[in-house]
Amino acid sequence: MQINNKKAVLDNTAERNENFVDNKWGNQLSDYKNYVKEYIKHYKKAKKGNEVSLAIYPYMKVKWEALNDRLTAATKKNLLTEKQIKKIIKIKSKIVNSSAE
């Protein structure tokens, strides 16, 4: 009976860890998506000559690159689900499309 209980506890712990990791990267993706929205907004304003956006944009670009690198590394290490990877691709396409305008 104790062996079955230990196995159930271990299975439950593994499931919780997987949920925690998925939730962690899900939160990272939400932050990334929101950050990209702001980044694109300031990029467009900076192109038009807005002084505030011109000052903020370089810092935002550096932070965006760091977030992008973190998510790319997680993808390479297979830490993300297929759905999360598709979400990253969709977000990255928004940046490409905004810079092409």
Side-chain angles (χ1 to χ4, degrees), residues 28-37 87 91 94:
Q28 291 274 329
L29 283 173
S30 294
D31 292 345
Y32 184 62
K33 181 180 177 182
N34 292 332
Y35 193 80
V36 166
K37 283 181 184 179
K87 197 171 192 178
I91 294 168
K94 288 181 182 181

Side-chain angles (χ1 to χ4, degrees), residues 28-76:
Q28 291 274 329
L29 283 173
S30 294
D31 292 345
Y32 184 62
K33 181 180 177 182
N34 292 332
Y35 193 80
V36 166
K37 283 181 184 179
E38 286 296 310
Y39 174 80
I40 291 171
K41 181 175 83 174
H42 284 288
Y43 171 76
K44 288 179 179 181
K45 286 182 177 182
K47 279 179 58 176
K48 292 180 181 178
N50 183 301
E51 291 181 17
V52 173
S53 291
L54 282 169
I56 293 173
Y57 175 73
Y59 299 105
M60 292 192 77
K61 184 176 182 188
V62 170
K63 186 172 179 182
W64 171 78
E65 288 171 346
L67 289 168
N68 188 47
D69 291 345
R70 186 179 315 141
L71 291 171
T72 301
T75 302
K76 288 180 182 177

